[in-house]
Amino acid sequence: MNSTDPGTSGPPVPEQARFCARCDGPVGRGRSGRPGPERGTCPWCGAAYDVRPDLAAGAELVGRADRYRVEAPLVRGARGWSYTARCGSDGALVVLGRLEGPDGPAAGALAVEETEVLLALDVPGLVHARDVVHADGRDGAVRLLVLDHVPGEVLSASRPCPPAEALDAVLGAVPPLAALHRHGLLHADLNPSNLLRGPGGITVLDLGSVRRLGDRESDVWATTGFVAPEIHPGGPGPSVASEVFALGRTLAVLLADFDHVRNHALRLPDPAGVPVLRDDPDLVALLARATDPDPARRHPGVEAFAGEARRVRTRYPASDTGIYTARPGDSGVGVGVLVGAHPDNGPTRRGGGRSAGAAGDPRDARGAPIP
């Protein structure tokens, strides 16, 4: 590895996004006008934390298929940092996503057999995994999955958005999710930050939480606000039903800017206070079924969810940012969003502004305040 000290460069993690990996308690918060520390001890459970990048820019990593040079930290998730890198053979830009959690391989590691299945998959709409590399991280050896870099904008950057766009986005995620399920795998961390809208449609990102169907042993790494209630210690664990729950939650969060992390982590906001939901009982029924606390009452699979979502989608005019169209080979299941009428058009931000009201006021896709 390059001798540059890891942790000395890269975008700082905002204090409001710093949480303990063990207990999910807030860490690294400032007081009395002083910035919070980027590393230290969690005041809630005593675990050590460090939010700095643990790989240095310029580090050389060797995989089975190629060599990779780390360029820069990209984003920090539940398992740690991901990075941009360049392939040694052709200079292609790739993303390195960490497979282990901060406590090592036992904390949600993607097993060897699942990794091999992912490397062999070539599914439209699913980011392509091309290699696995090992690196010397700050706290020991780590494995990273080498993924294609996909241009575009993650959906979390443009919420809330109009119903047509929100429905198109979640429908675009259904074919790759269904393909994973057919291969006996679950994505297990579906949320707006892991869906990207680009010139080719919707792409499902971040394969680091992928696990086998029926896996009841591995730790679960997922995003608060999109985790089904049955996923808890001693519970049945992730399943196709929990993927349906995450799809429903993703749609709800794309439609309305409500507190989906704390006050509404497992329930929807009152439709009476959200005009975009109040005016469409069928949309509310779709969300309510997908996010029902009882897995048995949800849609039996993501394709069944898509069937009901398509019927709701027909009520809305075609989105002015894209074409409502199925991907080739989808057999009519799900849709993709082509950004702009011309394939050379770049991604377009839609509905993300909060020009009315105070900054941070919850609003739905129409800009109406949510009580």
Side-chain angles (χ1 to χ4, degrees):
M1 284 186 60
N2 187 287
S3 60
T4 304
D5 179 34
T8 59
S9 62
V13 178
E15 290 189 10
Q16 66 270 24
R18 299 175 185 176
F19 294 93
C20 175
R22 178 181 294 174
C23 72
D24 202 33
V27 296
R29 307 304 170 92
R31 292 183 178 180
S32 303
R34 292 178 298 177
E38 291 187 301
R39 54 179 171 170
T41 301
C42 173
W44 310 99
C45 71
Y49 74 87
D50 193 334
V51 299
R52 302 172 304 160
D54 58 352
L55 293 183
E60 296 281 353
L61 308 178
V62 180
R64 291 181 298 182
D66 209 335
R67 300 177 65 91
Y68 307 92
R69 184 179 181 87
V70 176
E71 287 206 331
L74 181 61
V75 67
R76 184 175 182 269
R79 292 176 305 280
W81 282 90
S82 59
Y83 304 82
T84 54
R86 293 282 178 182
C87 294
S89 60
D90 58 7
L93 186 64
V94 295
V95 173
L96 308 178
R98 185 166 172 161
L99 290 175
E100 282 88 15
D103 293 330
L110 190 64
V112 172
E113 51 266 37
E114 285 98 275
T115 305
E116 294 300 324
V117 173
L118 280 180
L119 293 175
L121 284 181
D122 185 11
V123 176
L126 184 71
V127 63
H128 180 245
R130 57 167 69 191
D131 205 351
V132 175
V133 296
H134 293 77
D136 295 326
R138 182 172 46 242
D139 301 316
V142 295
R143 287 191 310 151
L144 300 107
L145 192 62
V146 182
L147 303 166
D148 284 349
H149 179 269
V150 183
E153 180 183 61
V154 292
L155 298 185
S156 57
S158 58
R159 54 173 291 262
C161 55
E165 287 188 28
L167 286 160
D168 283 349
V170 295
L171 284 167
V174 166
L177 289 175
L180 278 176
H181 298 169
R182 287 193 295 271
H183 284 86
L185 299 173
L186 297 168
H187 184 275
D189 191 20
L190 188 71
N191 65 79
S193 294
N194 286 337
L195 296 180
L196 179 140
R197 178 165 45 212
I202 295 295
T203 300
V204 177
L205 306 176
D206 192 356
L207 305 182
S209 292
V210 168
R211 59 199 288 128
R212 292 189 311 278
L213 276 165
D215 180 357
R216 300 291 185 266
E217 303 298 327
S218 300
D219 292 341
V220 178
W221 290 97
T223 302
T224 302
F226 303 89
V227 183
E230 66 270 18
I231 300 178
H232 58 79
S239 64
V240 170
S242 65
E243 301 269 78
V244 171
F245 180 92
L247 265 180
R249 291 288 298 180
T250 296
L251 177 57
V253 168
L254 290 177
L255 288 168
D257 189 9
F258 61 97
D259 182 7
H260 64 281
V261 176
R262 301 293 179 187
N263 294 335
H264 295 87
L266 294 174
R267 59 189 177 90
L268 298 171
D270 183 358
V274 185
V276 72
L277 300 181
R278 181 191 62 209
D279 297 342
D280 191 341
D282 290 331
L283 182 56
V284 174
L286 169 68
L287 293 171
R289 183 181 180 189
T291 62
D292 194 293
D294 183 352
R297 291 203 293 262
R298 297 176 201 151
H299 302 85
V302 294
E303 290 159 314
F305 170 90
E308 185 175 347
R310 284 199 305 273
R311 289 191 291 273
V312 174
R313 174 63 175 82
T314 59
R315 292 187 173 82
Y316 297 95
S319 170
D320 60 0
T321 63
I323 303 168
Y324 184 63
T325 180
R327 292 181 183 273
D330 283 352
S331 302
V333 178
V335 297
V337 181
L338 300 182
V339 181
H342 191 279
D344 292 336
N345 287 353
T348 304
R349 180 185 174 94
R350 295 289 300 171
R354 294 183 184 174
S355 57
D361 286 348
R363 294 180 177 273
D364 72 4
R366 301 176 187 179
I370 300 173

